[in-house]
């Protein structure tokens, strides 16, 4: 069961990585983009637990690093950390509350903030970029933008169920 | 003893898994520039770029823009020539005599399309569909019909990765065309900025900025941007100048790689040739 969920996460994650690199730049606002591959990671981590989130985060991160031509290892560490922390909110009896309520958006926001901030911090940066700027522009704003997409995803899931 | 260790690992397996992944990724980050890791990255990039490119081609199939592309190519060539002529005009006016310049008005431009974009506030990186098969090499500048976009940083046989002007690790030697004031421009996460220009220097909003003769990365006189505003720093003796890029970097789709090797690249190539001859 876990294997199917794992494959699902990685395959959906990979499709969203391609979408992220090909079409998402068209909807960037002041170079702030939503990070779509984190949606299946958060959703399935809340269903399957912390180890699942850590490993699938690492694999989606590795795929992202290779496909994007970015810093190899940066995506792995940032996404596995996001998956690991999201995994703290996993509970066998909580999947309904987690994935079918407002809390999904909250977890998504938190995971995207962790990913975006870590990924930006790990990448080679100009030393003049301030820590506050990294938190706000690289962490908070992409997290807000991704949460908007998360809300649409949440509405879609709720309607389907 | 072994049982205790195993029980300990089983109890804290979440942390062990995370720790192992974290250690592996830190090693990957640390040795990112190692030749073997670079080779792996290039191999992966080539394979995945083909997927990206196929999807992009399907999208492109529905829009016939060959004529637009050829006009853009022509525009880019003209832009480079016009800018050189403009620069020559300024020099002529200043020196009041004819200067015999080497004929550098012919630029060898390779048209390329953006296959994918990795956009963030500080890391502008694009993937283009031209590589070593088209004699593209690391260090070649990338322009569009309006001005400078970035520089090639990685090349595979069919694809190349470029750093755009909106990448905080790229610093460019520039000149303000009207007054020949030189400076170093880079992206600070919010805007392109030239730091520490003395307040006594004549710089006004709207001045054109181009690559400098002193640039070790780019050919001279490629249009970069326009002066947006001057901001005095704390002491009031120096200015920081914010720059609006001439080219639409975020919307870039059809680009041109200039077959130009910087002095550093040319020296490296020379040394490699020397070594291979010996």
């Amino acid at each position: 069961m876990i294997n199917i969920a794992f494959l699902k996460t990685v395959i959906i994650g990979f499709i969203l990585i391609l979408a992220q690199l090909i079409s998402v730049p068209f909807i960037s606002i002041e170079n702030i983009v939503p990070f779509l591959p984190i949606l299946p990671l958060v959703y399935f981590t809340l269903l399957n637990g912390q180890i699942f989130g850590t490993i699938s985060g690492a694999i989606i991160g590795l795929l992202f690093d290779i496909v994007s031509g970015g810093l190899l290892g940066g995506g792995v560490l940032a996404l596995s950390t996001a998956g690991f922390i999201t995994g703290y909110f996993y509970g066998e009896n909580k999947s309904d509350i987690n994935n079918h309520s407002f809390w999904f958006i909250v977890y998504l926001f938190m995971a995207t903030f962790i990913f975006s901030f870590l990924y930006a911090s790990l990448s080679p940066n100009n030393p003049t970029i301030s820590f506050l700027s990294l938190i706000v522009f690289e962490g908070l704003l992409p997290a807000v933008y991704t949460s908007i997409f998360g809300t649409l995803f949440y509405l879609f899931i709720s309607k389907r169920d | 003893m072994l049982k205790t260790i195993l029980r300990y690992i089983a109890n804290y397996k979440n942390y062990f898994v995370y720790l192992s992944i974290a250690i592996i990724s830190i090693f990957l980050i640390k040795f990112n520039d190692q030749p073997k890791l670079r080779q792996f990255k290039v191999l992966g990039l080539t394979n995945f770029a083909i997927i990206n490119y196929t999807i992009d081609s399907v999208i492109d199939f529905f829009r016939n823009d060959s004529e637009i592309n050829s006009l853009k190519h022509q525009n880019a060539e003209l832009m480079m020539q016009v800018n050189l002529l403009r620069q020559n005009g300024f020099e002529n006016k200043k020196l009041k005599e004819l200067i015999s310049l080497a004929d550098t008005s012919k630029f060898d431009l390779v048209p390329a399309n953006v296959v994918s974009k990795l956009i963030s506030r500080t890391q502008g990186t694009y993937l283009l569909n031209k590589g070593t098969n088209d004699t593209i090499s690391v260090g070649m500048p990338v322009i569009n019909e309006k001005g400078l976009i970035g520089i090639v940083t990685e090349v595979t046989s069919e694809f190349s990765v470029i750093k755009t002007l909106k990448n905080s690790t790229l610093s460019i030697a520039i000149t303000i065309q009207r007054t020949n004031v030189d400076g170093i421009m880079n992206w600070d996460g919010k805007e392109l900025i030239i730091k520490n220009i003395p307040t006594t220097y004549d710089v006004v909003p709207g001045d054109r900025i181009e690559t400098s003769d002193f640039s070790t990365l780019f050919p001279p006189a490629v249009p970069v941007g326009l002066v947006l505003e001057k901001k005095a720093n704390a002491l009031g003796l120096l200015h920081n100048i914010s720059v609006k890029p001439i080219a639409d970097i975020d919307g870039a789709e059809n680009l041109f790689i200039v077959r130009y090797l910087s002095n550093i690249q040319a020296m490296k190539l020379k040394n490699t040739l020397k070594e291979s001859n010996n």
Side-chain angles (χ1 to χ4, degrees), chain B residues 65-123:
Chain B
D65 48 11
S66 60
E67 200 180 340
I68 297 169
N69 287 346
S70 102
L71 284 171
K72 278 187 174 174
H73 189 279
Q74 216 174 343
N75 260 349
E77 280 181 342
L78 288 171
M79 176 271 292
M80 297 285 270
Q81 287 177 13
V82 164
N83 219 61
L84 261 182
L85 290 173
R86 191 183 280 130
Q87 190 198 29
N88 293 352
F90 273 110
E91 281 180 16
N92 284 343
K93 206 173 170 186
K94 264 191 170 175
L95 300 169
K96 302 231 191 261
E97 63 182 36
L98 281 172
I99 304 164
S100 55
L101 288 172
D103 183 17
T104 49
S105 58
K106 284 271 177 202
F107 285 95
D108 190 7
L109 303 180
V110 183
N113 287 338
V114 177
V115 174
S116 68
K117 296 176 179 177
L118 171 61
I119 290 184
S120 79
R121 292 284 295 192
T122 55
Q123 310 288 324

Side-chain angles (χ1 to χ4, degrees), chain A residues 37-103:
Chain A
I38 209 163
L39 279 167
L41 177 69
V42 171
Y43 183 79
F44 287 108
T45 301
L46 291 172
L47 287 177
N48 297 294
Q50 200 167 33
I51 295 183
F52 177 93
T54 311
I55 296 173
S56 46
I59 290 175
I60 296 173
L62 183 66
L63 290 173
F64 179 70
D65 287 341
I66 294 171
V67 179
S68 67
L71 179 77
L72 199 62
V76 179
L77 185 59
L79 265 183
S80 59
T81 307
F84 178 75
I85 293 175
T86 308
Y88 275 113
F89 303 100
Y90 160 77
E92 277 180 26
N93 305 318
K94 284 196 333 192
S95 66
D96 254 14
I97 303 165
N98 281 342
N99 279 336
H100 297 92
S101 71
F102 164 76
W103 285 107

Side-chain angles (χ1 to χ4, degrees), chain A residues 14 18 20-22 25-26 28 30-33 50-51 54-55 58 62-64 66-74 76-77 80-81 84 88 119-120 122-126 128-129 137-138, chain B residues 13-15 17-18 21-22 25-26 28-29 32 37 40-41 44-45 48 51-52 55-56 59 115-123 125 127 161 166 168-169 186-190 195 250 253:
Chain A
F14 181 64
L18 294 178
Q20 176 77 26
L21 295 169
I22 295 170
F26 292 115
S28 74
E30 294 287 315
N31 291 317
I32 292 158
V33 285
Q50 200 167 33
I51 295 183
T54 311
I55 296 173
L62 183 66
L63 290 173
F64 179 70
I66 294 171
V67 179
S68 67
L71 179 77
L72 199 62
V76 179
L77 185 59
S80 59
T81 307
F84 178 75
Y88 275 113
Y119 188 70
L122 292 168
S123 306
N125 268 321
N126 187 326
T128 56
I129 295 173
F137 292 109
E138 296 286 359
Chain B
K13 61 183 176 202
N14 297 5
Y15 297 96
V17 169
Y18 175 67
I21 289 172
S25 42
I26 288 166
L28 283 174
I29 294 166
N32 221 27
L37 214 54
F40 168 74
K41 203 170 151 184
L45 187 67
F48 286 113
I51 301 172
N52 283 3
I55 296 170
D56 203 44
I59 297 167
V115 174
S116 68
K117 296 176 179 177
L118 171 61
I119 290 184
S120 79
R121 292 284 295 192
T122 55
Q123 310 288 324
T125 310
L127 182 65
V161 178
K166 291 187 174 180
S168 63
T169 55
N186 51 29
W187 175 252
D188 73 348
K190 277 184 281 182
K195 285 201 163 174
D250 298 333
E253 278 303 314

Side-chain angles (χ1 to χ4, degrees), chain B residues 180-195:
Chain B
N180 276 340
V181 172
D182 292 311
I184 301 289
M185 185 187 78
N186 51 29
W187 175 252
D188 73 348
K190 277 184 281 182
E191 57 186 353
L192 288 168
I193 204 144
I194 309 164
K195 285 201 163 174

Side-chain angles (χ1 to χ4, degrees), chain B residues 157-208:
Chain B
S157 56
E158 288 178 55
F159 298 93
S160 48
V161 178
I162 66 162
K163 264 184 195 176
T164 68
L165 294 185
K166 291 187 174 180
N167 190 308
S168 63
T169 55
L170 183 64
S171 297
I172 303 167
I174 52 87
T175 300
I176 295 170
Q177 198 180 44
R178 188 175 58 85
T179 51
N180 276 340
V181 172
D182 292 311
I184 301 289
M185 185 187 78
N186 51 29
W187 175 252
D188 73 348
K190 277 184 281 182
E191 57 186 353
L192 288 168
I193 204 144
I194 309 164
K195 285 201 163 174
N196 301 333
I197 299 292
T199 41
T200 48
Y201 285 11
D202 177 20
V203 181
V204 291
D207 275 351
R208 281 175 74 89

